[in-house]
Amino acid sequence: MTVPRGQGDRRGAPAGWSAPERALEAGIDFDRANAARIYDYLLGGACNFAVDREQAAKILTQNPDMAYVCRANRDFLRRAVAWCLDRGIHQFLDLGSGVPTVGNVHEIALAHRPDARVAYVDFEPVAVAHAHEVVDGLETVSVTRADMRDPDAVLGAPGVRDLLDPALPTALLTVAVLHFVPDPMLPAILARYRAALAPGSAHVMTHGSADHDDAELAARTRAIQDGYRGSATEVVLRSRPEIHELLGGNALAEPGMVDIVDWPAPDPEARPTGGYAAIALLP
C-alpha cells in the first residue's frame, strides 16, 4: 500500500511551524509512530511524519475501516459537545485532545456559547504545538502539555486551574484516548478527575473493544489492535464491564453504552465501528 506524504518528514518539523513548535521538536519521538499523529493522518491532516504514515498503512492493511472509525469518533465528539451545551455544560476538559482538526471542541462550543471554556490536554509535542497555533488569541481556550495519568498535575496546571471554574459543571472528554492507556490504575485516575468536577458535570467517553456479539466485528477490532503494535501507543481493548468500570458506576445518559455511530440514536445506514460511546452523568 502506498501512503501519501504529509507536509513534514521524519527528520524535520512540518512546514510552517512557528518558533514555539520548533522548540517543542526536541521532545518528539521520530523513531516510533504516535496515536495522535496517526489519528491526524487518518483524518487527512498534515501534522504527522513518515513513521506515522507507515504505521497507518499497517493499520489499514489489518483493517481498512480504520479511517472510517476515526471519522466516526470525531463525529461523535461533535454530537457529544453539542449535547453537553444543550444541557447547560459550557466548560470542557479534553484529555488526550490530539491534533485539532476542523470541527474541534472549541469551534463547536464557541459557536454555541461565546463564553464557553475549553482546556485541551495532551502529551504529544506535535499535537500540543499545533493546538497552540490553532487557539492563539482565544482567551477562553487553553492548551496544556501534560500526562493525563497525573490528574493532580493536569488539574493544577495554569491552563486548567486558571481557566475552568470548579464551581460550574464541566464535561470531562476522554474520546478515542483511553484504549491507549494501559495503566491498571486508570479507573482510579479517572475517578480523581470526576471528583474534582462540580455536580451536574459529565464524563464523555469512547473506547475500542473486541467484546461484541458479532464475531466478525470483534475480529476487525482486534486487527486494529494488531496494527498499532510496535508504535509508541499500543492499543488496549477492554471488555464492556471494564469500560463501565472506567465510568465509575455513574448513571449513563440515554441510550447508555452503544456503538459510536449509534449515539445518541441508532443509525441504520452506518456500519458499526467496534468502539463504544457513552456519557456518564455525575450526581
Side-chain angles (χ1 to χ4, degrees):
M1 178 181 296
T2 301
V3 182
R5 293 183 61 80
Q7 293 179 5
D9 65 31
R10 187 171 178 273
R11 294 180 176 81
W17 271 27
S18 64
E21 290 171 314
R22 294 190 187 95
L24 278 169
E25 185 184 353
I28 297 172
D29 182 352
F30 289 108
D31 296 322
R32 291 192 298 170
N34 177 275
R37 302 191 309 258
I38 293 170
Y39 191 64
D40 170 70
Y41 172 74
L42 290 171
L43 288 172
C47 290
N48 51 77
F49 303 100
V51 66
D52 306 305
R53 299 187 286 275
E54 291 163 6
Q55 193 78 36
K58 178 180 177 181
I59 295 166
L60 289 168
T61 298
Q62 297 281 359
N63 186 339
D65 271 354
M66 187 57 194
Y68 166 75
V69 173
C70 291
R71 291 192 301 271
N73 260 292
R74 201 72 192 180
D75 290 342
F76 164 78
L77 177 62
R78 298 184 188 116
R79 297 194 301 271
V81 169
W83 184 93
C84 290
L85 291 163
D86 288 344
R87 282 150 186 80
I89 302 174
H90 307 136
Q91 298 190 136
F92 299 87
L93 175 57
D94 190 354
L95 302 180
S97 50
V99 178
T101 62
V102 174
N104 52 48
V105 175
H106 74 272
E107 287 182 340
I108 301 165
L110 294 178
H112 282 71
R113 289 268 310 212
D115 61 342
R117 300 185 177 197
V118 178
Y120 290 119
V121 177
D122 207 298
F123 191 69
E124 208 287 316
V126 173
V128 172
H130 186 61
H132 273 294
E133 188 173 81
V134 168
V135 308
D136 185 41
L138 297 177
E139 294 183 358
T140 61
V141 185
S142 69
V143 180
T144 298
R145 188 183 181 199
D147 189 335
M148 64 161 286
R149 294 173 297 178
D150 188 347
D152 290 335
V154 170
L155 294 169
V160 176
R161 181 194 64 221
D162 298 341
L163 180 69
L164 303 182
D165 186 341
L168 297 178
T170 299
L172 175 67
L173 306 179
T174 57
V175 175
V177 64
L178 298 181
H179 43 244
F180 295 113
V181 184
D183 197 318
M185 297 303 294
L186 186 57
I189 291 169
L190 294 172
R192 172 70 183 90
Y193 283 107
R194 289 191 298 265
L197 303 182
S201 296
H203 180 182
V204 178
M205 175 195 293
T206 66
H207 198 300
S209 177
D211 187 356
H212 302 287
D213 297 332
D214 183 336
E216 182 181 349
L217 179 60
R220 292 205 308 268
T221 309
R222 284 192 292 270
I224 293 174
Q225 181 184 40
D226 291 340
Y228 275 92
R229 295 194 193 285
S231 72
T233 43
E234 296 193 355
V235 170
V236 178
L237 297 177
R238 295 180 172 91
S239 66
R240 280 179 283 193
E242 287 173 325
I243 297 172
H244 272 293
E245 183 184 9
L246 297 180
L247 294 166
N250 292 289
L252 303 184
E254 292 294 336
M257 193 171 77
V258 296
D259 192 275
I260 293 166
V261 298
D262 291 329
W263 197 102
D267 182 353
E269 301 298 322
R271 61 187 183 276
T273 65
Y276 288 114
I279 296 183
L281 307 172
L282 278 59

